[in-house]
């Protein structure tokens, strides 16, 4: 038995709070940078606002992920899938992660990761009808800790770019997603990799926190 691929929640949260048109930030968009000084490149590892502090976010499952700021959190329980979504606005777009659980199902059954990629993209496009987002270069892999994942790049007809990865953690599935403008592709790529490097599953030792920690 394969557990269902209802991985839309984070994508819906990202799309519903942002508007990008023609590859440029729309005035008043949630993607717009926070007020305050900015630099073209803050550091070798981040292209976010100079005041941004990366935070270690710990989900109730024990999964920990570092995000560039305090996330907006949404929880949902629909069609037998419990989800907890954490999204952060950035100067170039949005990034975040979501944890999914399916109580009452066999925890050893694999999650439908490939179906999840399609589910998430469809969910994003349902909310932001101008996006025409699509996944490209879909591929499977295994994390350093042995967890199976499916990953893809994201591309929109209006110039937006991004990444998505869904990881099978057994009892939980983890989705990481980031979307931004094509003009800042390097920043989108670099910060996405920083998020990936920070992930620790519930059965793995968590990294030493640098900056504030948040638990949900």
């Amino acid at each position: 038995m394969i557990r269902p691929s209802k991985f839309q929640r984070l994508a819906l949260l990202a799309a519903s709070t942002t508007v990008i048109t023609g590859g440029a930030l729309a005035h008043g968009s949630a993607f717009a940078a926070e007020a305050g000084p900015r630099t073209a490149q803050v550091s070798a590892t981040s292209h976010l606002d100079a005041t941004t502090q990366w935070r270690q976010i710990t989900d109730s499952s024990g999964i920990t992920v570092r995000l560039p700021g305090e996330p907006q959190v949404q929880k949902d329980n629909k069609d037998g899938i419990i989800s907890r979504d954490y999204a952060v606005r950035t100067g170039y777009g949005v990034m975040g992660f979501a944890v999914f659980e399916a109580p009452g199902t066999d925890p050893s059954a694999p999650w439908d990761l490939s179906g999840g990629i399609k589910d998430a993209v469809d969910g994003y496009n349902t909310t932001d009808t101008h996006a025409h987002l699509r996944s490209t270069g879909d591929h499977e892999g295994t994390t350093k800790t042995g967890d199976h994942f499916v990953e893809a790049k994201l591309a929109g007809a209006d110039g937006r770019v991004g990444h998505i990865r869904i990881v099978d953690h057994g009892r939980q599935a983890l989705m990481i997603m980031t979307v931004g403008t094509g003009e800042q592709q390097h920043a989108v790529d670099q910060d996405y990799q920083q998020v990936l490097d920070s992930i620790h599953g519930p059965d793995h030792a968590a990294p030493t926190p640098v900056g504030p920690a948040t638990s949900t």
Side-chain angles (χ1 to χ4, degrees):
M1 170 183 153
I2 295 179
R3 281 181 284 183
S5 61
K6 299 183 183 299
F7 292 96
Q8 293 187 353
R9 290 298 307 170
L10 178 60
L12 291 171
L13 176 59
S16 66
T17 58
T18 60
V19 177
I20 299 182
T21 56
L25 296 179
H27 179 69
S29 166
F31 274 31
E34 300 289 339
R38 288 188 56 80
T39 58
Q41 182 170 324
V42 176
S43 70
T45 58
S46 178
H47 296 252
L48 302 167
D49 291 341
T51 56
T52 295
Q53 291 188 349
W54 286 75
R55 297 171 179 265
Q56 179 175 300
I57 313 300
T58 302
D59 180 70
S60 58
S61 64
I63 293 173
T64 65
V65 180
R66 290 184 61 78
L67 291 177
E70 187 69 33
Q72 178 182 351
V73 182
Q74 287 190 6
K75 303 178 182 180
D76 192 42
N77 187 342
K78 186 177 181 180
D79 299 329
I81 303 295
I82 296 173
S83 64
R84 295 179 293 276
D85 315 303
Y86 307 80
V88 175
R89 292 176 296 173
T90 67
Y92 49 74
V94 66
M95 67 166 47
F97 73 96
V99 177
F100 299 85
E101 296 177 329
T105 61
D106 181 359
S108 66
W111 289 86
D112 183 5
L113 303 184
S114 295
I117 297 290
K118 181 180 185 302
D119 229 19
V121 172
D122 288 348
Y124 192 103
N125 289 331
T126 297
T127 301
D128 186 345
T129 57
H130 299 288
H132 302 294
L133 205 66
R134 59 188 176 86
S135 64
T136 66
D138 299 36
H139 65 277
E140 299 184 30
T142 303
T143 68
K144 293 179 180 179
T145 52
D147 300 307
H148 180 228
F149 69 81
V150 173
E151 185 175 45
K153 293 182 179 180
L154 300 173
D158 59 358
R160 73 188 78 184
V161 297
H163 300 273
I164 184 171
R165 176 184 285 197
I166 306 179
V167 188
D168 189 335
H169 279 286
R171 291 187 179 276
Q172 297 86 22
L174 171 68
M175 182 169 82
I176 307 97
M177 185 176 184
T178 181
V179 181
T181 60
E183 290 90 343
Q184 300 197 54
Q185 174 84 62
H186 180 67
V188 173
D189 294 347
Q190 196 160 324
D191 289 322
Y192 171 70
Q193 187 59 53
Q194 186 166 338
V195 170
L196 291 186
D197 292 342
S198 76
I199 297 169
H200 284 72
D203 298 325
H204 313 307
T208 302
V210 179
T214 300
S215 297
T216 300

